Every structure is written in structure tokens, then in C-alpha cells.
Amino acid sequence: KVLKVPTERIDPQANFARLGVDSAAAVFFVLDIEEWLDLELPASIAFEYQSIAELAGYLAKECARRRSATRGS
């Protein structure tokens, strides 16, 4: 929804800005991810991880970390 390019043309290595994600769109993007993954994320995350590939790597690690923490409790 947030990216301003057709899905089939999305380069996971491309910078979010190159994909048309400005700061307002980034807020909605982060909110969608939070809802989808049931995570609380810092609002700045789309700027800390500047591509889909970088953000996906972070999210995979964060989900694994939380899953491990849940199993350990």
C-alpha cells in the first residue's frame, strides 16, 4: 500500500526513498507492520533500516528473539 511502485517492480535492496516512501508514508508503513506482526516498533525504524531487505532482516531477528523469550518464560 505504501510503496509507490508496482509490486513486481520492487527491488528489496532499494532505499525506501527511492521507492517513494516519505516520512508520512513511513509512519503508516510502520503501523501496518506493527499490526501485522503484533510488535511495537520505533517510529524511526524505516530510517534506521533503509531498504526492504535491511528491515526484513531486522524483523526476522526481532521475531526470533521474542519467540525465544516467550518459550523461555
Side-chain angles (χ1 to χ4, degrees):
K1 291 190 271 187
V2 174
L3 301 178
K4 298 177 181 176
V5 296
T7 305
E8 63 275 0
R9 296 194 59 212
I10 294 173
D11 174 3
Q13 304 300 327
N15 184 288
F16 284 123
R18 192 173 133 225
L19 296 172
V21 178
D22 59 15
S23 57
V27 170
F28 289 107
F29 186 52
V30 171
L31 289 172
D32 285 346
I33 293 170
E34 286 181 323
E35 184 178 325
W36 180 53
L37 296 176
D38 193 27
L39 291 174
E40 286 188 34
L41 301 169
S44 62
I45 198 153
F47 301 105
E48 293 172 34
Y49 300 94
Q50 297 185 358
S51 72
I52 293 170
E54 288 179 21
L55 181 56
Y58 165 78
L59 292 171
K61 288 177 186 172
E62 185 64 15
C63 287
R65 184 188 70 76
R66 289 180 186 215
R67 195 169 38 250
S68 293
T70 303
R71 286 184 193 146
S73 11

